[in-house]
Amino acid sequence: DLGGAKGRIDRLQLTFSEPVSHPHDSAAPFPFGVTGYALASAGAASGSRLDLGLKERSAPDTAARPSVGYVRGAGPPVRDAAGNEAATRAFSGTTDGVGPKLLSATTLDTDGDGRLDRVRFGFSEPVFHAAEAGPGSFSAAGLTGGSALAASGSSVDLTITEAAAPNSGVRPSATYTRDGVNDVADANGN
């Protein structure tokens, strides 16, 4: 996820078994196909690596592991140092190299007394996070963080100290900054 909309994959990095050559190409047809995505570009090879630019999907997809295919004769070829073109084939089981992205933060009044008592942080995919005694990596401007709760699906709640007066209309700036201790991760450890 290099830019554009948060939580939407826009690049796929391919690694070949040996150094290859391929020019940068931003016009179809491409010799590559990525299941569920439209290609925007096929980058210039660098050693054994080549990046594919993907057109972002409309929904978050940081947990995606799409299949990739190479077809001879469709666009500029990928060649090794001896000039041999890569074989036509499909690859499945790509590796998820993108961590969850914070997409939203929602204030909550779980006891209905008109005073905020939680902020729910919503991520781009299901996450793992064990409960912490303090706020850890989570904060909400102007509110005192209590504890970061265990993840539930794609969300982590931060308890906050209730204000003396009603404040359910407050919309604080909320942030998640990895602190290296019990950070949010996806199923692949990103």
Side-chain angles (χ1 to χ4, degrees), residues 99-148:
K101 302 294 182 195
L102 178 63
L103 298 180
S104 65
T106 306
T107 56
L108 303 170
D109 175 14
T110 60
D111 58 9
D113 65 0
R115 297 178 293 168
L116 300 177
D117 51 27
R118 289 192 188 187
V119 177
R120 178 162 293 151
F121 290 77
F123 291 87
S124 58
E125 61 183 292
V127 295
F128 294 92
H129 179 269
E132 295 183 77
S137 300
F138 302 90
S139 66
L143 301 174
T144 303
S147 58

Side-chain angles (χ1 to χ4, degrees), residues 10 19 54 61 70 73 80 91-92 98 104 106 137 148 179-180 182 188:
D10 50 21
L54 305 177
D61 60 351
Y70 177 80
D80 66 12
F91 303 91
S92 61
V98 179
S104 65
T106 306
S137 300
D179 64 2
N182 195 24
N188 292 300

Side-chain angles (χ1 to χ4, degrees), residues 44-57:
S46 177
S48 61
R49 293 192 172 168
L50 186 148
D51 290 346
L52 299 180
L54 305 177
K55 293 182 181 175
E56 293 180 347
R57 294 166 111 180

Side-chain angles (χ1 to χ4, degrees), residues 13-41:
Q13 185 177 73
L14 306 180
T15 303
F16 291 85
S17 61
E18 61 184 308
V20 295
S21 65
H22 180 271
H24 177 79
D25 184 17
S26 57
F30 299 106
F32 303 96
V34 179
T35 302
Y37 293 85
L39 288 180
S41 65

